Amino acid sequence: MPLKPTVDVHGASATLDKRVASLDDAIKVMAETRDFGKHTKLRRILEALRRVLMQPGGAAAVQARARALEEAGLFLGTDWATPEILIPALVGPGLHAGDADTVVMEACSELRTLAVARGDYEHPTLSAEEARKFLSQVLALNLELLFAPPTEAERRQGRTAQLIRDLFRHVADEIGYESVLDKLVEEIWRILRQRPIQVEQVQSLITRIAVYRGDPDVDLASAPGQGIDRLISALFGTTEACREDPGVDVFRSRLEAMDDGGLQYEATGFARAMHDTGLVSPYHAELLRFLRHKSDYLLGEALGLSDTGRNSLLRNRDLIHRLIEVAVHTQTAQCIYGLALLLDRGILHAPPMVPALWRQLGLELSEAARERLTTVFGDDPGPEARLIAGVLSMLGLPLGVGQGDNPTCQSARALSMWAYNDPDYLLQIVVWAARDDEIVMHFEGQPISSNDSAGGVASTPQTDLDPVSLLVVPHLDRIYAEMGRRCIGRPGDPHRWINPEFHGWWAARGFRINVDVETGNLIDLDNFLRQFHVSYHPAYNGGQPLIHPQPAGVAVTDSAARYVGWHAITILRVAADPQDVTRVYFYNPNNDSGQDWGDGVVVSTAGNGERFGEASLPFDQFASRLYIFHTDPLEHGEPEKVPAEDVTRIIDYIERSWGANRLPGGTLQASKTPQT
């Protein structure tokens, strides 16, 4: 008789059968209850579902009952009732929220989607292909639940954490791991094409993929994953000298043994990978520090500079060498891309820029600034190096600034606009924030100190920002809010006065809005849209391209075209795309500009003539989400020449989306006062 304990398969099966029977009873009771009373049956069915999902084979049992659960009314009155608008990125946070009921509902939603993807449930609003794509994205964004050991946070979730892991394994087994890898790589490339300054999350994903692919127990090696090798090599094995990721010390010794031909091969390889992906390898930082003592020509090769960039480098070699010495380390390697683009922009030819950067190199940071930088980024390298690295990134990638998980789109937009249009002013703002721990701006001739202003729109300290934003945004946020307070009592929207004072003189003083601030209702749509055409559309403004970027406000909607909130963006240019469609190209301070705003309005970030960091929409679709813009008050144009059918088409877009409840006499469901 064996002494080793055995698994009671029959006992587990019997337990599952018993709990499934209880679930079937709960489904039947809910199905027989009228809609207004279904909520009274929800507790029983959620508890039954939780008990089933806790058992081996429970996920499959719930999947088999997906249709019955939905038709019984489990998702009634929730966002889960419309699976076609659900967002993959929100699944993970929902499952880790800690609320057991939310976990069960989210798990049931995924299992319903799986049933649709497998063809077991022909859903009226979700196709099998859409369901498979959704699940692939969900799995790709939660790879750690498939391969990595539980975290401390998961351990605190207790048995619920195991339920979540069992759910993901079941979904992955059903749809296959290959699609997960493909979708993850596709998502990484989509983000990188926008050239964000902050790429830590992307680097983390690439690192995890590299680890998983090297694990013999993980079946990822056979997955196609087009483009994955380019991403991994861009970080860990860019050239022959670091192909096997030998470590910085070994790489340095190999550089020291190379002749100029070998060094040029290394330099061009790193530059090609950097400009191709927007990612910078830590080995690239070591190469740059080495070449600083060797050759300016090879330094230019390693940065991948154009003729403009090479000229900037040679004219300011002492400054560039010093910037590399102070800012470029393996931990801050990403700033190399910013340095290369900064040189290629030619902004060092502007007289204030070179002395401003020398001032930055010698800047003594305040204790508060040092503490903030060290708390977020660590002390190796020191806070001065981190800040200068951040300055290089922002000057090189002015459209890569993100607001993080904060309601500070106005401040992020200001930083981007200054880096893009007035870089020496940006450096002055950085000095005030970093050295003095105070910024003073003026509003209609009166000074506003960030230290004397009450709180801003951000209610908690911000830590998920780049080094420049980390120091500057809290000050700008308070000043922006104070400008708003000084407009209290004035008629109309305060941004009429705030935007030119906050962003700069180039923000045109003419101001148009299509929302009545008091009621939130739509007003004067026809005239608003005609004025937007004659201000920005080249067919109606005499072909005049936009000279300075202009602040604007949009009503953001979700993928079901429902109003989400007001948001600050920058109109950069209006031009014909490769298909000869007139598009508005704009900067969106959200960390990811590629968004589905519903009713066919899908923001593009690549493939339609966008430059790195730009988002775009066809002119009429952009106008359908616009509610504020600035224009030159002395340039009236000929609004009567705008075709009536164009205006009508845009108004139809508005009335099908955020304007649905904003018609005069309608019931307003959203915030009245616009706050971009």
Side-chain angles (χ1 to χ4, degrees), residues 290-436:
F290 178 79
L291 292 179
R292 185 169 61 90
H293 302 288
K294 292 284 291 184
S295 161
D296 286 338
Y297 170 77
L298 291 176
L299 206 56
E301 290 288 288
L303 291 168
L305 298 178
S306 65
D307 288 343
T308 299
R310 284 186 178 278
N311 185 266
S312 295
L313 168 62
L314 294 175
R315 288 188 61 180
N316 304 283
R317 65 181 307 274
D318 291 344
L319 172 64
I320 305 309
H321 282 225
R322 182 61 178 156
L323 288 170
I324 292 171
E325 179 186 359
V326 173
V328 175
H329 303 271
T330 54
Q331 302 93 329
T332 59
Q334 192 61 32
C335 78
I336 296 172
Y337 189 45
L339 174 61
L341 297 180
L342 179 162
L343 291 168
D344 274 350
R345 290 183 67 196
I347 59 176
L348 294 188
H349 293 296
M353 286 302 296
V354 171
L357 284 170
W358 277 115
R359 176 183 58 184
Q360 188 68 49
L361 284 164
L363 192 67
E364 184 173 340
L365 305 188
S366 70
E367 193 55 42
R370 295 180 62 85
E371 182 179 349
R372 279 184 69 80
L373 289 166
T374 303
T375 299
V376 174
F377 298 106
D379 56 6
D380 186 21
E384 291 84 0
R386 288 284 182 182
L387 181 57
I388 294 174
V391 165
L392 295 179
S393 291
M394 190 169 287
L395 290 175
L397 293 156
L399 303 183
V401 183
Q403 69 188 81
D405 187 21
N406 312 289
T408 52
C409 51
Q410 282 276 359
S411 298
R413 177 173 70 178
L415 288 174
S416 170
M417 193 178 292
W418 298 331
Y420 183 92
N421 190 57
D422 198 4
D424 54 306
Y425 180 67
L426 171 70
L427 291 176
Q428 181 64 65
I429 288 285
V430 171
V431 168
W432 287 332
R435 183 193 64 197
D436 307 329

Side-chain angles (χ1 to χ4, degrees), residues 23-35 37-39 41-42 45 65-76 121:
L23 173 61
D24 287 338
D25 288 342
I27 293 173
K28 182 180 179 182
V29 170
M30 178 175 268
E32 293 172 349
T33 304
R34 291 181 177 273
D35 286 356
K38 287 186 186 295
H39 69 280
K41 311 300 179 185
L42 189 59
I45 202 168
R65 289 158 176 77
R67 181 169 190 160
L69 284 163
E70 182 157 30
E71 291 178 347
L74 174 64
F75 303 115
L76 193 67
Y121 177 12

Side-chain angles (χ1 to χ4, degrees), residues 444-482:
E444 299 176 342
Q446 298 301 312
I448 296 178
S449 166
S450 59
N451 289 349
D452 295 338
S453 303
V457 298
S459 57
T460 58
Q462 304 140 332
T463 59
D464 55 341
L465 300 171
D466 64 87
V468 172
S469 299
L470 186 72
L471 295 189
V472 177
V473 165
H475 296 282
L476 295 181
D477 185 35
R478 293 194 293 270
I479 289 173
Y480 164 70
E482 179 61 27

Side-chain angles (χ1 to χ4, degrees), residues 89-388:
L90 298 182
V91 172
L95 288 169
H96 292 297
D99 182 336
D101 288 348
T102 300
V103 171
V104 170
M105 290 287 282
E106 191 66 72
C108 289
S109 176
E110 308 321 308
L111 292 168
R112 171 191 56 184
T113 306
L114 180 57
V116 174
R118 297 284 293 169
D120 302 329
Y121 177 12
E122 190 170 330
H123 199 277
T125 63
L126 189 69
S127 70
E129 181 182 350
E130 291 169 336
R132 178 173 287 273
K133 180 180 179 181
F134 179 88
L135 291 173
S136 295
Q137 289 177 301
V138 169
L139 290 173
L141 294 169
N142 294 275
L143 271 183
E144 69 279 0
L145 294 175
L146 294 174
F147 305 123
T151 64
E152 183 61 30
E154 283 187 85
R155 283 189 282 271
R156 292 176 183 273
Q157 281 188 291
R159 295 185 64 193
T160 302
Q162 191 57 48
L163 182 159
I164 296 169
R165 284 183 170 260
D166 289 345
L167 167 71
F168 274 86
R169 274 194 290 268
H170 175 73
V171 173
D173 288 342
E174 289 286 304
I175 69 169
Y177 288 86
E178 292 83 357
S179 62
V180 178
L181 187 62
D182 274 350
K183 186 54 62 180
L184 179 58
V185 173
E186 179 184 318
E187 184 70 6
I188 289 173
W189 278 109
R190 189 185 68 80
I191 294 296
L192 288 177
R193 288 189 191 100
Q194 300 176 53
R195 293 300 194 264
I197 289 176
Q198 294 172 274
V199 294
E200 292 82 4
Q201 185 176 4
V202 166
Q203 291 172 331
S204 175
L205 285 172
I206 296 170
T207 303
R208 282 153 57 193
I209 294 172
V211 171
Y212 298 148
R213 289 186 93 201
D215 188 339
D217 296 328
V218 177
D219 185 22
L220 282 181
S222 60
Q226 185 177 11
I228 188 172
D229 290 327
R230 287 164 67 200
L231 292 171
I232 294 174
S233 66
L235 288 180
F236 304 113
T238 315
T239 62
E240 287 298 323
C242 62
R243 185 72 64 202
E244 78 283 21
D245 192 16
V248 171
D249 292 339
V250 173
F251 177 68
R252 176 76 179 214
S253 67
R254 291 175 179 175
L255 293 179
E256 291 170 348
M258 287 183 187
D259 59 16
D260 285 352
L263 289 173
Q264 178 162 357
Y265 184 80
E266 290 292 307
T268 55
F270 277 111
R272 188 183 307 114
M274 176 177 73
H275 287 283
D276 179 37
T277 64
L279 294 172
V280 185
S281 169
Y283 291 110
H284 199 161
E286 191 62 29
L287 174 68
L288 225 60
R289 294 182 68 84
F290 178 79
L291 292 179
R292 185 169 61 90
H293 302 288
K294 292 284 291 184
S295 161
D296 286 338
Y297 170 77
L298 291 176
L299 206 56
E301 290 288 288
L303 291 168
L305 298 178
S306 65
D307 288 343
T308 299
R310 284 186 178 278
N311 185 266
S312 295
L313 168 62
L314 294 175
R315 288 188 61 180
N316 304 283
R317 65 181 307 274
D318 291 344
L319 172 64
I320 305 309
H321 282 225
R322 182 61 178 156
L323 288 170
I324 292 171
E325 179 186 359
V326 173
V328 175
H329 303 271
T330 54
Q331 302 93 329
T332 59
Q334 192 61 32
C335 78
I336 296 172
Y337 189 45
L339 174 61
L341 297 180
L342 179 162
L343 291 168
D344 274 350
R345 290 183 67 196
I347 59 176
L348 294 188
H349 293 296
M353 286 302 296
V354 171
L357 284 170
W358 277 115
R359 176 183 58 184
Q360 188 68 49
L361 284 164
L363 192 67
E364 184 173 340
L365 305 188
S366 70
E367 193 55 42
R370 295 180 62 85
E371 182 179 349
R372 279 184 69 80
L373 289 166
T374 303
T375 299
V376 174
F377 298 106
D379 56 6
D380 186 21
E384 291 84 0
R386 288 284 182 182
L387 181 57
I388 294 174

Side-chain angles (χ1 to χ4, degrees), residues 480-550:
Y480 164 70
E482 179 61 27
M483 287 183 178
R485 284 188 283 270
R486 295 193 183 188
C487 292
I488 292 174
R490 299 184 183 186
D493 188 276
H495 296 98
R496 175 191 302 270
W497 302 279
I498 293 174
N499 284 343
E501 298 281 354
F502 190 65
H503 295 296
W505 66 265
W506 53 82
R509 296 284 168 163
F511 182 81
R512 301 283 178 172
I513 184 170
N514 61 13
V515 176
D516 177 66
V517 173
E518 293 301 316
T519 65
N521 288 331
L522 290 164
I523 53 171
D524 201 17
L525 275 183
D526 185 272
N527 185 52
F528 175 88
L529 294 171
R530 290 180 181 276
Q531 288 296 329
F532 182 60
H533 277 76
V534 299
S535 298
Y536 288 89
H537 198 299
Y540 304 103
N541 73 352
Q544 173 62 53
L546 190 62
I547 297 173
H548 296 104
Q550 291 295 316

